[in-house]
């Protein structure tokens, strides 16, 4: 599976404030928190989100149930998505993964 753009672009928020990483996660299996307790920015940049994103970059999604059931999303603009991931990897001090990410997108 290719890295999913949803992990960088589209959080989903339930009526009660619960936040998940994907709009297809209707059962909130991948709940990352609640906006009534943390800001969306805090949740979106949390260690669990970093873990999900790194697993996607490395192609290690077998233990992420919602992702395993997905047929995959394509980024609207492949080059822009590659640049977004590269900048994020530099920000979190993991530039060694940039080449791998570009190859998988």
């Amino acid at each position: 599976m290719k890295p999913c753009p949803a992990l960088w672009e589209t959080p989903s928020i339930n009526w009660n404030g619960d936040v998940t990483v994907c709009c297809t996660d209707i059962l909130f299996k991948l709940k990352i928190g609640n906006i009534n307790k943390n800001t969306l920015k805090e949740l979106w940049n949390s260690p669990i989100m970093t873990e999900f994103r790194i697993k996607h970059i490395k192609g290690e999604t077998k233990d992420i149930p919602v992702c395993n059931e997905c047929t995959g999303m394509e980024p609207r603009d492949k080059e822009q998505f590659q640049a977004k991931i590269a900048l994020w990897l530099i920000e979190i001090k993991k530039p060694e993964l940039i080449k791998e990410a570009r190859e998988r997108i």
Side-chain angles (χ1 to χ4, degrees):
M1 170 177 271
K2 296 178 180 185
C4 180
L7 293 173
W8 281 267
E9 299 173 356
T10 56
S12 292
I13 303 171
N14 201 1
W15 64 270
N16 65 356
D18 286 345
V19 179
T20 186
V21 302
C22 179
C23 64
T24 67
D25 183 16
I26 59 173
L27 299 177
F28 280 69
K29 292 179 184 179
L30 300 179
K31 177 182 163 186
I32 59 170
N34 187 291
I35 61 169
N36 295 312
K37 296 177 183 168
N38 298 92
T39 67
L40 183 57
K41 183 176 182 177
E42 290 170 335
L43 296 172
W44 205 237
N45 296 308
S46 66
I48 189 68
M49 283 303 300
T50 297
E51 181 183 335
F52 286 148
R53 290 172 178 142
I54 295 291
K55 285 182 178 203
H56 266 253
I57 287 169
K58 292 182 171 187
E60 299 171 351
T61 60
K62 64 183 177 303
D63 61 337
I64 307 174
V66 175
C67 300
N68 262 344
E69 300 159 5
C70 182
T71 57
M73 278 182 69
E74 289 291 323
R76 286 173 279 202
D77 182 327
K78 182 178 172 179
E79 289 179 14
Q80 184 182 37
F81 186 51
Q82 286 174 330
K84 181 183 285 192
I85 289 178
L87 287 172
W88 178 78
L89 287 168
I90 290 167
E91 185 179 308
I92 67 161
K93 300 183 180 8
K94 298 262 187 208
E96 68 276 7
L97 294 175
I98 292 172
K99 183 179 178 191
E100 186 173 354
R102 283 195 172 133
E103 290 171 355
R104 295 192 43 78
I105 294 173

